[in-house]
Amino acid sequence: MIEIQNVSKWYGGFQVLRDCTTQVARGDVVVVCGPSGSGKSTLIKTVNGLEPYQKGRVRVDGVEVGARTTDLARLRARIGMVFQNFELFPHLSVRENLTLAQIKVLGRGKDEAIKRGLAYLDRVGLLAHQDKYPAQLSGGQQQRVAIARALSMDPVAMLFDEPTSALDPEMIGEVLEVMVGLAQDGMTMMVVTHEMGFARKVADRIVFMDEGRIVEDSFKEDFFAAPRSARAREFLARII
Ligand code: ADP
Ligand code: MG
């Protein structure tokens, strides 16, 4: 579903991605981890065209992200992205947050958009909060709304960039639980996270990045049993 092939990217003279190659098969969950500044966010953002790249190829469901002919807005509508900082529209109610893009981008009718949005809101356990504004919700609740909003667009894949790292510890579990449910339902997911409990539970593969390189791309079992690189071993020792 997602193919990243020999991708390199520079910010001026600084090379942030170095010849990165990996893929996420339909229904698979790939966890991306590695030290801060190693290029994880940049890599995951190349997948929905938020970060252009100078070399290589990224394809999602057969569509080449970097091709000049690719309609990025249309591609993005098919890929759900959840960031660290929720990014709900603060001036819109939860229900309006859930329906806006369905109506504006997908052209769905209002009733249909509400029906779908609320079904996903129910799924993340927040149906009773549909009339609230983001500021009236906890961080964990906001993040669950952000996930429901992404799902309302019927994405072919979901990208997560450290979705729990801005949350108070007691709220991390409720967000991870929603993500575990998604993974178990067969959603194709690429997840930047240091939550190794989540990785152990649902990841198919672990990608470990260091200094812009993918230094390890292993089946979960192999990664946790014995990471091949010294950098990954040090990293694991520090965070577990
Ligand atoms: P990670 O998500 O693993 O912490 P990032 O992908 O955010 O890493 O960043 C990788 C490197 O690229 C870092 O050294 C960061 O400082 C640098 N970087 C990120 N965005 C920019 C930018 N817009 N301009 C220049 N350097 C950047
Ligand atoms: Mg990052």
Side-chain angles (χ1 to χ4, degrees):
M1 183 60 80
I2 299 171
E3 291 177 81
I4 298 172
Q5 235 174 50
N6 304 106
V7 168
S8 292
K9 176 184 172 74
W10 288 260
Y11 286 118
F14 173 68
Q15 188 168 3
V16 54
L17 295 178
R18 298 170 185 266
D19 200 25
C20 293
T21 297
T22 188
Q23 55 287 124
V24 187
R26 196 180 298 266
D28 269 7
V29 177
V30 171
V31 162
V32 181
C33 60
S36 180
S38 57
K40 306 180 297 293
S41 295
T42 308
L43 183 74
I44 200 170
K45 285 184 195 156
T46 63
V47 174
N48 66 350
L50 282 176
E51 288 282 4
Y53 45 93
Q54 284 88 30
K55 268 193 173 169
R57 211 152 67 152
V58 178
R59 281 191 301 201
V60 179
D61 203 12
V63 176
E64 192 165 346
V65 178
R68 240 177 305 133
T69 49
T70 296
D71 181 346
L72 267 186
R74 203 165 140 187
L75 181 81
R76 269 184 210 136
R78 308 182 60 217
I79 306 170
M81 174 117 198
V82 175
F83 300 92
Q84 192 172 339
N85 293 309
F86 328 138
E87 314 218 345
L88 296 175
F89 301 112
H91 60 293
L92 297 181
S93 70
V94 166
R95 191 173 50 244
E96 289 162 339
N97 264 282
L98 289 166
T99 54
L100 184 71
Q102 290 189 68
I103 295 167
K104 297 274 183 222
V105 181
L106 300 183
R108 282 187 184 145
K110 193 172 169 193
D111 292 346
E112 165 81 357
I114 290 176
K115 196 172 132 215
R116 285 183 187 240
L118 293 185
Y120 284 111
L121 191 63
D122 192 19
R123 179 159 163 192
V124 302
L126 294 172
L127 192 55
H129 300 270
Q130 55 176 294
D131 292 312
K132 290 191 177 164
Y133 284 81
Q136 297 173 294
L137 301 175
S138 72
Q141 289 172 331
Q142 288 183 54
Q143 198 60 306
R144 283 148 66 198
V145 172
I147 294 172
R149 180 176 66 177
L151 292 174
S152 303
M153 301 292 284
D154 296 332
V156 295
M158 288 282 289
L159 310 175
F160 293 86
D161 190 359
E162 303 208 32
T164 60
S165 53
L167 295 176
D168 292 334
E170 73 271 21
M171 294 170 189
I172 291 175
E174 67 194 56
V175 173
L176 291 178
E177 201 181 308
V178 168
M179 292 168 61
V180 166
L182 263 186
Q184 289 171 343
D185 284 353
M187 177 60 78
T188 305
M189 293 163 69
M190 193 165 174
V191 185
V192 178
T193 187
H194 293 161
E195 293 291 338
M196 290 299 134
F198 171 82
R200 279 181 194 277
K201 208 172 200 168
V202 295
D204 294 286
R205 292 203 333 278
I206 314 278
V207 164
F208 179 78
M209 293 188 72
D210 190 29
E211 296 181 349
R213 274 195 191 84
I214 292 179
V215 293
E216 193 144 345
D217 184 347
S218 308
F219 289 112
K220 164 179 69 180
E221 296 76 10
D222 300 332
F223 184 78
F224 286 118
R228 277 196 298 272
S229 63
R231 285 296 282 128
R233 280 196 294 277
E234 282 165 33
F235 176 80
L236 269 185
R238 251 183 297 118
I239 65 165
I240 286 183

